[in-house]
Amino acid sequence: MKQKRFILQENELPTAWYNIQADMPTKPMPPIHPATRQPLGVDDLAHIFPRECCVQELDTEHDFIPIPEEVLDKYRFYRSTPLVRAYSLEEALQTPAHIYFKNESVNPLGSHKINSALAQCYYAKQEGTTNVTTETGAGQWGAALAYAARVFDLEAAVYQVKISMQQKPYRSSIMRTFGAAVTGSPSMSTRAGKDIITRDPHHPGSLGTAISEAVELATTTPNCKYTLGSVLNHVGLHQTIIGLEAEKQMAMAGEYPDVVIACFGGGSNFGGIAFPFMRHNLKDGKHTEFIAAEPESCPKLTRGEFRYDFGDEAGYTPLLPMFTLGHTFKPANIHAGGLRYHGAGMIISQLLKDGLMRGVDISQLESFDAGMLFARTEGIIPAPESSHAIAAAIREAEKCKQTGEEKVILFNLSGHGLIDMSAYDQYLNGDLMNYKISDDDIARTLQGVPDS
Ligand SMILES: *Cc1c(COP(=O)(O)O)cnc(C)c1O
């Protein structure tokens, strides 16, 4: 019998996250204060984020960090997630490669973001916080946070980019179902929002406006902490549950990946699946290849520069060492909303600089072609973000067809696309297009980077 799905029992779940910072040959450079240029410590960050998350953010010593029992309890609501051998996709491609995917779409919210939302809300609750706040674009992170806040009995306030709220109405319905207060940003509920609306009454909102409003709420509300769904080191740490499970599941399948692939927004699902395998490259002489798939219209890994830059458009955050297109870069309005971010997380940026991984860029149409083939072979409609990983996996499988190599390819299916069906409609109607970015555009936004 050909086994298709590999599942761990609840008592076989990993009990610690993997902190790759401990094993990196070059440690990530620290976040710094924009004015003083001094490195930031735990105390500088802990008035905004839960303290334990700040400790994890800067921890370069401990390779494994125990998952609190209360978080493991909530993971058991939906973990393990299946590791699946994509036999039908292999057959359609006529490739000798063995293709596996880790299905992170099977949980109450439908994306991997819940893995970190649960951890962040647990730490917030544990330190006596009553309220959490965040921003969200397309809404996957906001939905995950709303769920996790409910689970740990916290009040959640989510600022959603106004234009996305109109384009993806069901994600705010999900957040409100779990009890979160959802406000379109810019709003009149904060000073930052009022200022923006006064200047531009019809501002459509951006992650920049939403971040400023959420951070303002966190700093002006007693017992309120701010949370973030990607980019930061502690978020990638929590996501390593994906790769740690996959490691055990690949062993059940009797294989080890030659190539590990994930789509790339800020890096959390990529780090989540890649870091546990990269550990064996760093420590045990394995030679797995790591590929991050980004959109052609937001190419920070393949065409960005390594600089200190702001994490947000408005320039409110500390300066972070990252591969960036410049914090004022305005990505095209592609359907993979979760990949429209100007920079890469600090750990990933260092790994890329050190040649331990690589990026590839995928056009919107190639990603949808891949998503469509995946849906029609494996029976799962992927999130537009995840389709970038599928496209990169297909490219690798096609190379194997040329060379006859039987490589083992593992990719992360970061989410399903069931509330992105208007995007699929556009594709099926032939109305989707590609967005190319010129070198001049990138050079212009890079000029605005403080470090240039
Ligand atoms: C947010 C999101 C991403 C991108 O974020 P990363 O931090 O790079 O993982 C990818 N896929 C889905 C389904 C998402 O919701």
Side-chain angles (χ1 to χ4, degrees):
M1 189 192 77
K2 294 200 296 185
Q3 188 168 346
K4 178 143 182 88
R5 302 195 317 146
F6 300 87
I7 307 216
L8 303 172
Q9 298 308 309
E10 287 177 22
N11 62 6
E12 297 171 312
L13 293 189
T15 55
W17 294 299
Y18 172 54
N19 177 24
I20 196 172
Q21 295 195 74
D23 293 330
M24 287 169 68
T26 322
K27 306 293 178 202
M29 285 151 60
I32 60 175
H33 190 283
T36 65
R37 300 226 141 210
Q38 289 305 304
L40 297 176
V42 169
D43 289 336
D44 301 306
L45 303 169
H47 66 284
I48 300 183
F49 299 101
R51 174 167 287 271
E52 194 55 34
C53 293
C54 304
V55 171
Q56 294 173 348
E57 184 68 21
L58 302 176
D59 185 337
T60 54
E61 279 174 35
H62 303 95
D63 54 356
F64 283 92
I65 296 180
I67 304 174
E69 194 50 50
E70 294 84 343
V71 175
L72 264 179
D73 249 7
K74 307 306 176 197
Y75 277 176
R76 289 193 193 100
F77 278 49
Y78 63 97
R79 305 207 71 88
S80 67
T81 64
L83 175 81
V84 187
R85 173 86 184 263
Y87 288 112
S88 311
L89 178 63
E90 288 172 19
E91 203 177 299
L93 295 170
Q94 297 272 298
T95 175
H98 297 189
I99 307 177
Y100 292 83
F101 65 91
K102 181 75 168 149
N103 189 354
E104 286 297 308
S105 80
V106 274
N107 70 55
L109 282 310
S111 88
H112 68 284
K113 292 213 170 64
I114 186 173
N115 298 327
S116 183
L118 285 168
Q120 293 187 46
C121 285
Y122 165 74
Y123 289 124
K125 181 74 180 183
Q126 200 200 23
E127 68 177 32
T129 296
T130 53
N131 294 58
V132 285
T133 179
T134 197
E135 76 287 331
T136 194
Q140 286 110 320
W141 170 246
L145 187 79
Y147 170 87
R150 176 52 50 206
V151 161
F152 286 109
D153 198 21
L154 296 161
E155 294 293 326
V158 180
Y159 287 93
Q160 183 172 16
V161 176
K162 205 180 261 175
I163 183 88
S164 316
M165 203 170 176
Q166 290 154 10
Q167 286 168 345
K168 310 223 180 205
Y170 292 126
R171 286 248 167 65
S172 39
S173 320
I174 295 173
M175 293 182 241
R176 291 169 55 222
T177 299
F178 285 120
V182 186
T183 309
S185 174
S187 77
M188 297 298 282
S189 70
T190 62
R191 179 188 293 244
K194 274 184 206 150
D195 284 351
I196 294 163
I197 291 176
T198 309
R199 267 181 276 127
D200 179 359
H202 301 292
H203 197 298
S206 67
L207 278 176
T209 68
I211 291 177
S212 346
E213 291 201 88
V215 170
E216 181 180 325
L217 188 74
T219 49
T220 55
T221 311
N223 286 319
C224 182
K225 285 288 162 80
Y226 171 73
T227 62
L228 201 58
S230 183
V231 182
L232 295 178
N233 301 341
H234 66 271
V235 185
L237 171 77
H238 304 150
Q239 294 296 353
T240 59
I241 187 79
I242 302 172
L244 292 163
E245 281 183 6
E247 198 184 337
K248 292 187 174 197
Q249 291 163 309
M250 291 296 306
M252 288 166 77
E255 305 223 66
Y256 190 86
D258 298 304
V259 189
V260 175
I261 298 170
C263 66
F264 197 96
S268 77
N269 93 94
F270 173 81
I273 194 156
F275 293 168
F277 293 101
M278 204 177 281
R279 171 166 178 264
H280 298 297
N281 277 26
L282 295 173
K283 297 180 72 104
D284 310 323
K286 292 276 191 196
H287 292 102
T288 300
E289 242 193 297
F290 299 94
I291 303 176
E294 65 183 4
E296 171 187 64
S297 55
C298 193
K300 59 256 182 183
L301 301 174
T302 52
R303 295 168 69 193
E305 283 186 18
F306 186 79
R307 305 265 186 89
Y308 267 109
D309 195 6
F310 289 109
D312 67 318
E313 188 182 325
Y316 291 111
T317 70
L319 289 174
L320 308 173
M322 44 163 63
F323 271 88
T324 180
L325 296 165
H327 61 283
T328 57
F329 183 81
K330 289 198 178 48
N333 199 14
I334 54 169
H335 288 286
L339 308 185
R340 293 174 72 240
Y341 184 69
H342 66 274
M346 291 176 276
I347 291 176
I348 305 278
S349 293
Q350 190 63 52
L351 295 172
L352 182 66
K353 193 159 175 264
D354 291 346
L356 295 166
M357 56 171 283
R358 66 187 166 93
V360 293
D361 61 333
I362 306 281
S363 74
Q364 176 154 263
L365 281 172
E366 183 180 349
S367 74
F368 271 84
D369 287 341
M372 196 61 68
L373 178 63
F374 184 74
R376 291 181 179 182
T377 50
E378 294 298 322
I380 300 169
I381 297 180
E385 290 85 358
S386 315
S387 293
H388 289 72
I390 301 172
I394 290 176
R395 282 190 193 175
E396 291 302 306
E398 279 173 344
K399 274 190 229 159
C400 289
K401 190 176 170 180
Q402 301 299 320
T403 61
E405 283 174 294
E406 246 182 66
K407 280 194 183 170
V408 177
I409 299 170
L410 167 65
F411 74 85
N412 192 42
L413 184 73
S414 54
H416 69 64
L418 291 177
I419 20 191
D420 299 281
M421 293 318 292
S422 64
Y424 279 85
D425 272 343
Q426 276 192 21
Y427 173 85
L428 292 164
N429 295 338
D431 293 337
L432 269 197
M433 50 184 223
N434 286 334
Y435 299 92
K436 289 217 167 52
I437 301 294
S438 73
D439 290 341
D440 285 352
D441 283 341
I442 296 177
R444 198 157 30 78
T445 46
L446 276 174
Q447 265 174 13
V449 171
D451 208 26
S452 45

